[in-house]
Amino acid sequence: MPSEKHHCLTEQMTTLLKAPALPHKTFIEGRTSYQDIYDLACGLVAALAAHDTPDQPVCLYTDDRALTAAAMLAAAAEGAPKLLLPYALNPNVLRDIHAGTGAIRVITDRTHDLPSPMVPVALAPRAFPLTGLTAASLDKVIVNLFTGGSTGTPQVWPKTVGNLFGETFFMVQNFSLSHEDRFVSTTVPYHIYGLLFAVLVPLVASASVTAGTSIFPNAITDAIARHQATLFAGVPVHYRALRGAAIQGANLRLAISSAGQLEPEDGAAFYRQTGVGVTEIYGSTETGGVAARNRANHETSLTPLESVETRIANDRLYVRSPYLSPNLETDAEGFFLTGDRVQVAADGGFVLMGRADGIVKVGGKRVDLEGVQACLKDLPGIVDALVLSLPAGRSRENEIVAVVDGDIDPAEIRQALADKVEPYALPRRIVTVDKIPMSAAGKYDRQAATNLFAGD
């Protein structure tokens, strides 16, 4: 990070932890003020410092946005322990985190869920001091995000003050956000995108946010109308759910989607309903935000964010960014090789071509799983599709399978697909479902989808 930007972010963090800019302003609609958030943060700092092992990490186990905001403020203070954010609100996940880290203390409003020997941290607020809290250094790791992989094995991504709050302040400035904005977000705050757009971005902007939004279309549209939302942050599956819904969004000026590629027609439908194009943010937990586009502005390729540098070599994307997790391996120039294949676009941006690990071999032939998936989605009557590669018996061969959301016989699907892909790329097994399994972050739950073939 250039020294000037580093100095600027240090000053911004000092100001943020000094006092709430608007103490009486509502953070959570109809429930929690900014002063309440800061008082709770002060209480957490005191409770965590009083413990016998202050250096031991602490789990943040909640989907409450006010509690998450207070915990993040506390974690950004000097001397506070780092937080561990689970990839799911599940006691078994807590057990795994305890086994892997030794963490015992949990900041939570779900005390009934806690497995032994984990214990809740006292949540008593304290009057926020006039001197404020002392901001930690920008390179301090304040959060470990645990993400569930496709195999079910969690990955750990540390995030520093500079990573998280640097991206937060950038997003606030980039989208010209302020205390006048009102957020409706369908994202969960224990995943990176939700942590940013359901908690940290509104917090830094002194904006207000809904307490929580159901994934059901009527609940989302009701929240947008009732809250007179100026910003909606969702994931692709929620934009899909909103197709055909009546959205009363007269105040909307910004819509954001992340955590996967948005289907063009889903974005177009939202634009027709609201007059607001959807800004797609491409990135990951480990990289933070990387690039963006808004198809309503005729942007077909992804343009790197102003704060991020990219390089393309051999159809692979490299990223250099202040938001990269510190445990990522980078080259001598600080670039990280992502897992995505890309193609350079004429306008200087890039187009995603699928995951590098989405290319598998079947009978010695290369198969692009995302290409097969795209062909499936184009078939009439299919709402959604997920294509997977499973090991074939004890051999090193792969077997292509598919989970399809659509009221079509699997034999008919295979017959229709046979005109679009090579015979070796045809899914050997197809399961039809009412809805493809999704994680809380709005991504395909690949492990749950794989389990559908366990007894087949």
Side-chain angles (χ1 to χ4, degrees):
M1 180 184 293
S3 58
E4 184 178 341
K5 291 185 178 180
H6 189 282
H7 179 69
C8 179
L9 182 56
T10 298
E11 289 188 338
Q12 289 171 321
M13 290 305 300
T14 299
T15 300
L16 180 67
L17 292 181
K18 178 72 174 177
L22 299 170
H24 302 298
K25 172 77 190 297
T26 296
F27 177 65
I28 300 294
E29 179 190 20
R31 198 185 82 187
T32 312
S33 72
Y34 272 83
Q35 189 64 60
D36 294 334
I37 298 292
Y38 276 69
D39 289 349
L40 183 54
C42 184
L44 284 171
V45 167
L48 296 173
H51 200 271
D52 292 339
T53 55
D55 294 332
Q56 188 183 69
V58 178
C59 289
L60 178 60
Y61 186 68
T62 182
D63 57 4
D64 183 272
R65 296 168 189 192
L67 181 54
T68 302
M72 291 302 302
L73 286 172
E78 189 176 85
K82 68 183 172 188
L83 301 176
L84 310 177
L85 271 62
Y87 59 87
L89 297 185
N90 183 306
N92 290 329
V93 175
L94 276 187
R95 291 187 182 94
D96 291 342
I97 291 177
H98 167 68
T101 67
I104 294 177
R105 293 177 293 165
V106 185
I107 299 171
T108 186
D109 55 352
R110 305 164 66 100
T111 54
H112 61 283
D113 267 357
L114 299 187
S116 177
M118 306 190 94
V119 294
V121 172
L123 296 177
R126 287 191 176 193
F128 197 76
L130 295 177
T131 54
L133 300 175
T134 302
S137 63
L138 298 186
D139 59 358
K140 176 195 172 186
V141 173
I142 56 172
V143 169
N144 272 358
L145 288 156
F146 289 77
T147 60
S150 59
T151 63
T153 302
Q155 293 178 291
V156 184
W157 302 112
K159 289 291 181 180
T160 66
V161 174
N163 290 157
L164 279 178
F165 284 94
E167 184 170 2
T168 298
F169 277 101
F170 170 80
M171 292 297 178
V172 169
Q173 181 179 9
N174 187 60
F175 293 117
S176 301
L177 301 172
S178 74
H179 67 279
E180 296 181 348
D181 281 299
R182 297 173 296 279
F183 285 59
V184 168
S185 174
T186 59
T187 57
V188 292
Y190 46 90
H191 290 286
I192 184 67
Y193 174 48
L195 184 61
L196 285 169
F197 281 95
V199 177
L200 294 182
V201 170
L203 176 72
V204 163
S206 296
S208 63
V209 63
T210 51
T213 305
S214 168
I215 63 173
F216 297 104
N218 288 345
I220 295 173
T221 56
D222 286 349
I224 290 173
R226 186 182 66 254
H227 198 47
Q228 298 182 358
T230 61
L231 184 149
F232 173 66
V235 294
V237 68
H238 298 156
Y239 282 97
R240 168 64 59 86
L242 286 172
R243 282 178 64 170
I247 305 171
Q248 303 300 319
N251 296 288
L252 274 179
R253 67 176 186 87
L254 183 62
I256 296 175
S257 177
S258 192
Q261 289 200 65
L262 179 70
E263 293 292 337
E265 182 52 36
D266 295 340
F270 189 89
Y271 179 62
R272 288 193 297 269
Q273 281 280 347
T274 64
V276 178
V278 181
T279 298
E280 302 171 60
I281 298 178
Y282 158 72
S284 65
T285 302
E286 61 270 29
T287 63
V290 172
R293 72 178 167 199
N294 186 329
R295 291 182 184 272
N297 295 336
H298 309 292
E299 300 168 2
T300 56
S301 66
L302 289 159
T303 300
L305 301 176
E306 191 177 307
S307 52
V308 174
E309 296 175 79
T310 60
R311 184 176 70 196
I312 297 171
N314 299 320
D315 296 330
R316 295 291 299 277
L317 179 67
Y318 293 75
V319 173
R320 182 165 64 188
S321 164
Y323 317 138
L324 295 177
S325 289
N327 64 334
L328 289 177
E329 184 176 338
T330 57
D331 64 17
E333 298 177 61
F335 281 90
F336 165 67
L337 173 62
T338 71
D340 290 317
R341 295 179 294 117
V342 298
Q343 189 175 74
V344 179
D347 61 4
F350 61 88
V351 177
L352 294 174
M353 303 301 293
R355 295 285 298 173
D357 57 7
I359 302 294
V360 300
K361 283 196 173 183
V362 177
K365 306 284 189 178
R366 287 165 55 90
V367 177
D368 182 347
L369 299 180
E370 294 191 21
V372 177
Q373 188 167 297
C375 290
L376 271 172
K377 289 181 178 181
D378 283 343
L379 295 177
I382 290 183
V383 178
D384 200 1
L386 174 63
V387 176
L388 304 167
S389 172
L390 304 181
R394 296 186 179 182
S395 69
R396 298 181 64 180
E397 272 295 333
N398 298 295
E399 179 186 33
I400 308 300
V401 299
V403 182
V404 172
D405 178 351
D407 189 18
I408 308 177
D409 184 78
E412 293 180 26
I413 295 173
R414 279 179 56 84
Q415 185 175 0
L417 189 61
D419 294 332
K420 294 178 174 289
V421 303
E422 297 292 341
Y424 54 81
L426 274 174
R428 295 287 301 276
R429 292 183 284 170
I430 296 176
V431 171
T432 57
V433 295
D434 291 333
K435 186 177 180 182
I436 296 176
M438 292 283 181
S439 70
K443 295 185 178 183
Y444 293 124
D445 188 334
R446 295 177 179 272
Q447 186 59 49
T450 297
N451 291 343
L452 296 174
F453 299 93
D456 188 358

